[in-house]
Amino acid sequence: MGNRIALFYAVTALYWFSTYTYVPLLSPYVVAIGGSLSMAGMVVGSYGFSQMLVRVPIGVWSDKIRSRKPFVIAGGAVGMLSSLGFAVTHSVLWALVFRLLAGIAAGCWVVFTVLYASYHQPDEAPKAMGVLSFYTSIGQLAASTLGGVIAERYGWHAAFWLGAAGGLAATLLACFVVDKPPARDHGGIRVADMLTVGRDRIVLGVSFLAVLAQVVTFTTMFGFTPEQATHLGANKADLSWLTLAATLPNAIASYFSGSLFSRWIGERNVVATGFAIAALFTAAIPLCHALPLLYVTQAVNGFGQGLCMPVLMGLAIRHIDAGRRATAMGFYQAIYAVGMFGGPAVVGWLGDHVGLSRGFLAVAATSVVACALTFALAPGRAARQVVTRSS
């Protein structure tokens, strides 16, 4: 059991490493090769757009064939191809194409999470997702830190080659992951099952909160905060340290959010606290006139964002029976991809027309709304019933 889990952690970290080596550089890179802020927003957001299209089909397909491992392998392979595409091209159009491909790779995450959850009891789902999110953050942290440092020394494309290498390693290691399909008596996914999952109140409510969480994440630490930093004189290496300042606290918060913090104050309160922190420190971004202050806002913001997503992910599938968890997670992740796409697209447009400062303030307001909605949409401690198969 221990070796199986350790291998899965390694594959998870490398899988995310493959598509995050260039994330701190992405919006400045698009602007540097001739794109506008609106175009940078489209490139950043295209990652979420393709996920929105593929995550439900991938989840259903995985449940239908009762196998998770092929999609874990495919995730690493497609991530490798995406980074390789960035490495051998140099245009805004190709950046859009290969970021779309990165989103397809990320669409396989739905199966990663379900396979990992299958190694645990249902009531352990929030805690398990917190631990898995920690290793996700470790991969993203290592990627974004090394990517900027290497790009500063060897040029933009060095970060893309590094990502391709990480994707290759993820693909090779994934071949040794232990599959754990649902029991054969589940009989695959039927239309009635999809409709049941799709109209489940908890899945829909938690997914909407995740949309708002992703708006914050993909317009700040994975979106336009690096562009704000370049206005303050940051170079490529500085952009890596900026992302490190956000992702390290994010990883710590992710590790404890579904276990220690949830036991202390309850899952719903953990999520609401995360949104409140994100609101305050996103609003502070335009007030920063020196890089060290921007680092502080991102560190605290990253911690707040790390409180939200792991808990929401666990809540989305905890009450769903094992045979339809990939479908439920597919719905959840497809819906929250709307925030990954829409957030950067809207803020990029605002950046071109009214300035990035107002874009950040709009995101802070979104986080305030999300904090309030958490108490209406997230299930409380008593919500433990399991949604069973339609008869």
Side-chain angles (χ1 to χ4, degrees), residues 190-270:
R190 301 174 299 178
V191 173
D193 296 323
M194 290 188 284
L195 292 175
T196 299
V197 168
R199 66 173 179 259
D200 180 76
R201 184 186 64 81
I202 292 178
V203 172
L204 289 175
V206 169
S207 297
F208 183 71
L209 291 173
V211 169
L212 302 181
Q214 295 290 25
V215 166
V216 179
T217 299
F218 278 83
T219 53
T220 55
M221 59 194 258
F222 294 148
F224 291 102
T225 304
E227 181 63 24
Q228 181 81 357
T230 62
H231 295 161
L232 300 176
N235 60 28
K236 298 182 187 72
D238 292 330
L239 298 181
S240 277
W241 301 129
L242 178 68
T243 305
L244 176 63
T247 53
L248 183 57
N250 185 277
I252 294 170
S254 294
Y255 189 82
F256 292 109
S257 61
S259 53
L260 183 64
F261 296 155
S262 290
R263 286 199 303 270
W264 279 354
I265 63 174
E267 293 146 352
R268 180 187 288 169
N269 290 329
V270 169

Side-chain angles (χ1 to χ4, degrees), residues 268-286:
R268 180 187 288 169
N269 290 329
V270 169
V271 175
T273 300
F275 278 126
I277 292 171
L280 181 61
F281 286 89
T282 298
I285 292 173

Side-chain angles (χ1 to χ4, degrees), residues 108-189:
C108 294
W109 180 238
V110 57
V111 180
F112 274 75
T113 55
V114 172
L115 178 56
Y116 182 72
S118 73
Y119 299 156
H120 302 81
Q121 295 300 314
D123 281 350
E124 296 177 335
K127 177 181 177 181
M129 291 305 103
V131 175
L132 190 62
S133 293
F134 171 77
Y135 286 95
T136 294
S137 296
I138 290 297
Q140 293 171 350
L141 184 154
S144 56
T145 303
L146 292 175
V149 171
I150 289 176
E152 178 63 22
R153 182 165 184 176
Y154 299 107
W156 294 109
H157 283 66
F160 305 138
W161 286 110
L162 181 65
L168 176 61
T171 304
L172 294 176
L173 286 178
C175 295
F176 301 97
V177 164
V178 176
D179 207 350
K180 190 175 179 183
R184 298 197 63 85
D185 61 5
H186 283 288
I189 291 298

